[in-house]
């Protein structure tokens, strides 16, 4: 057992729907007690200090501790292709991404990038991620192995692709079905790891492959389905040509039994009301990827619509690296704010942090295990330094906030000015991640 003393911020309700006074939990001087990687107790130091007086206490004075960030959609093989110039989605995939992903046929190379990727997540305070791989089984294998070595909760699966890509990235649908099935049996629920059936997007799958993906989902109902949906106008046009019998893009996935409460759809920029309603009805989740959507010029996600009171959809924030421009969820919040601003809306700082913690945990139906400091949850958390740079120190003068108002101002400035430099430490299952990473 051990204890951490600091200021703590987490959420006990959804600040899109519940007033901040009821949804935000802020302890300017709190104590988090950890046993076997789980939260054993949590509360004000004043209340709990005496009860745990015997325990060794690690103190992070002047720092703010938050639940570990969750990145709801990110491509590990694209790590080294981040920041590729000049193209929008389909041309960008052909020119930069497909050649990069081809390199993951080599298992040693895949392991090297998987290790780098997971360490980069941790350096940025991200403890859980929903990760895309490549068509090569060995690229999935090494990611799960490396995640397990780091005790991280990772959701991932083999990328399914059977057409509209170079030959070197095409798999056979039946082979991919067998490979995916074997991986589900090996990895889903193995420690903290979870599996996602991952058709790349409608364009790169045949009807046969999507039908087999649906068959797998029916055989293993508690695995995830993870894919892209309605990101780019040319993509949508081509999808309509390839699937003339589907009434819209979402309906392609619906027809094959791939839309439910464990489905995660990245982007969803150009969806109409009907599609939003159908996602809400089944509880399917959206990964909002603002840095990517701006970088590729894909469009502006309508967050206000997705989080409408009458038919809310679970939403989480995501980097979508390599189209995304940063591994930092703080920078992702910064761009999420700008995307809202461009549509005349304001994303509050508490809402932004919710989307990267409890909101994303709910989107994953993992809110019983992750997302805040409730007793019994897994002790993944991040130690934030809101004065990490000279400019941040100037902007966030005055020490740890004593009111929600000051806290709101400081965490907002931290999302605008901060990045990996603002992550003082990351804890996974109650253990501090190696300082060498920071
Ligand atoms: N749609 C299909 N594949 C991809 C990808 O790799 N990145 C993004 N942003 N969108 C996609
Ligand atoms: Zn993506």
């Amino acid at each position: 057992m051990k204890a951490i003393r600091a200021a703590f911020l987490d959420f006990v309700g959804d600040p899109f729907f519940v007033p901040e006074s009821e949804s935000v939990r802020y302890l300017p001087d709190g104590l988090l007690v950890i046993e076997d990687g789980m939260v054993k107790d949590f509360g004000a130091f004043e209340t709990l200090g005496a009860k745990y007086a015997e325990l060794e206490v690690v103190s992070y004075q002047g720092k703010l501790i938050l639940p570990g960030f969750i990145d709801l959609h990110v491509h590990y093989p694209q790590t080294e292709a981040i920041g590729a110039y000049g193209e929008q989605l389909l041309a960008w995939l052909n020119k930069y991404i497909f050649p990069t992903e081809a390199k993951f046929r080599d298992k040693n190379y895949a392991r090297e990038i998987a290790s780098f990727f997971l360490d980069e997540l941790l350096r940025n305070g991200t403890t859980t991620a929903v990760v895309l791989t490549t068509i090569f089984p060995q690229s999935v294998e090494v990611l799960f192995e490396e995640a397990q070595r780091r005790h991280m909760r990772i959701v991932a699966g083999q990328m399914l692709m059977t057409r509209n890509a170079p030959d070197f990235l095409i798999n056979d649908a039946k082979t991919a079905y067998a490979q995916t099935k074997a991986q589900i049996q090996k990895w889903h629920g193995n420690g903290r790891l979870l599996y996602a059936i991952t058709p790349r997007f409608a364009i790169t799958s045949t009807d046969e492959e999507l039908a087999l993906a649906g068959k797998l989902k029916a055989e293993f109902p508690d695995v995830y389905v993870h894919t892209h949906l309605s990101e780019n106008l040319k993509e949508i046009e081509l999808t309509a040509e390839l699937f003339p019998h589907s009434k819209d893009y979402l309906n392609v996935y619906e027809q094959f039994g791939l839309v439910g409460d464990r489905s995660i759809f990245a982007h969803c920029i150009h969806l109409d009301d009907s599609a939003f309603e159908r996602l809400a009805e089944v509880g399917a989740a959206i990964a909002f990827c603002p840095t990517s959507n701006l970088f590729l010029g894909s469009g502006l996600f309508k967050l206000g619509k997705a989080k409408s009171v009458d038919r809310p959809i679970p939403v989480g924030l995501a980097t979508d690296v390599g189209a995304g421009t940063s591994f930092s969820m703080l920078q992702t919040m910064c761009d999420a704010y700008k995307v809202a601003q461009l549509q005349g809306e304001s994303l509050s700082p508490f809402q932004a942090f919710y989307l990267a913690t409890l909101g994303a945990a709910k989107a994953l139906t993992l809110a019983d295990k992750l997302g805040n400091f409730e007793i019994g949850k897994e002790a993944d958390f991040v130690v934030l330094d809101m004065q990490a740079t000279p400019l941040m120190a100037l902007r966030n003068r005055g020490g740890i906030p004593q009111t929600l108002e000051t806290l709101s101002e400081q965490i907002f400035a931290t999302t605008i000015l901060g990045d990996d430099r603002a992550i003082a430490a990351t804890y996974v299952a109650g253990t501090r991640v190696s300082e060498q990473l920071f």
Side-chain angles (χ1 to χ4, degrees), residues 137 140-141 144 158 174-188 190 195 216 219-220:
V140 185
E141 194 75 8
F144 278 134
Q158 182 171 312
K174 290 190 187 65
T175 308
Y177 168 86
Q179 290 166 334
T180 301
K181 189 167 183 161
Q183 288 167 14
I184 292 172
Q185 287 164 336
K186 178 165 181 189
W187 293 109
H188 185 63
N190 181 339
Y195 201 88
L216 274 171
E219 286 170 329
F220 301 95

Side-chain angles (χ1 to χ4, degrees), residues 39 52 74 112 168 172 176 179 189 204 222 251 281 305 328 414:
V39 178
Y52 296 101
V74 58
E112 180 192 329
F168 55 75
D172 165 70
Q179 290 166 334
T204 41
D222 66 339
N251 190 234
E281 247 164 53
K305 248 186 166 178
S328 168
T414 301

Side-chain angles (χ1 to χ4, degrees), residues 6 18 41 72 80 114 117 163 189 204 213 226 245 271 311 353-354 367 377 384 424 426:
V18 181
D41 214 341
L72 210 55
E80 62 171 341
F117 165 84
R163 63 167 162 173
T204 41
H226 180 205
H245 305 299
L271 293 183
R311 40 156 192 65
F353 277 93
Y354 175 81
K377 288 203 188 182
L384 204 62
T426 302

Side-chain angles (χ1 to χ4, degrees), residues 205-257:
S205 283
T206 50
D207 282 44
E208 182 196 15
E209 181 163 62
L210 292 177
L212 287 171
K215 183 168 178 301
L216 274 171
K217 176 64 184 166
E219 286 170 329
F220 301 95
D222 66 339
V223 304
Y224 293 90
V225 173
H226 180 205
T227 187
H228 298 90
L229 172 63
S230 196
E231 175 179 8
N232 166 287
L233 295 176
K234 281 193 186 151
E235 169 210 12
I236 294 165
E237 215 174 284
L238 181 53
T239 303
E241 279 170 31
L242 292 170
F243 297 92
H245 305 299
S246 299
K247 70 175 184 191
D248 62 13
Y249 195 159
L250 176 61
N251 190 234
V252 175
Y253 299 132
E254 286 172 333
Q255 284 181 336
F256 292 104

Side-chain angles (χ1 to χ4, degrees), residues 245-305:
H245 305 299
S246 299
K247 70 175 184 191
D248 62 13
Y249 195 159
L250 176 61
N251 190 234
V252 175
Y253 299 132
E254 286 172 333
Q255 284 181 336
F256 292 104
L258 296 170
V259 184
D261 70 348
R262 287 189 177 210
S263 302
I264 302 153
F265 297 103
H267 308 300
C268 300
I269 294 171
H270 308 284
L271 293 183
D272 65 10
D273 286 349
S274 154
F276 270 113
E277 272 158 33
R278 279 139 58 209
L279 288 174
E281 247 164 53
V282 300
I286 296 176
F288 172 24
C289 312
T291 72
S292 163
N293 299 159
L294 296 172
F295 181 73
L296 289 180
S298 304
L300 303 176
F301 175 61
K302 301 180 192 79
L303 179 61
K305 248 186 166 178

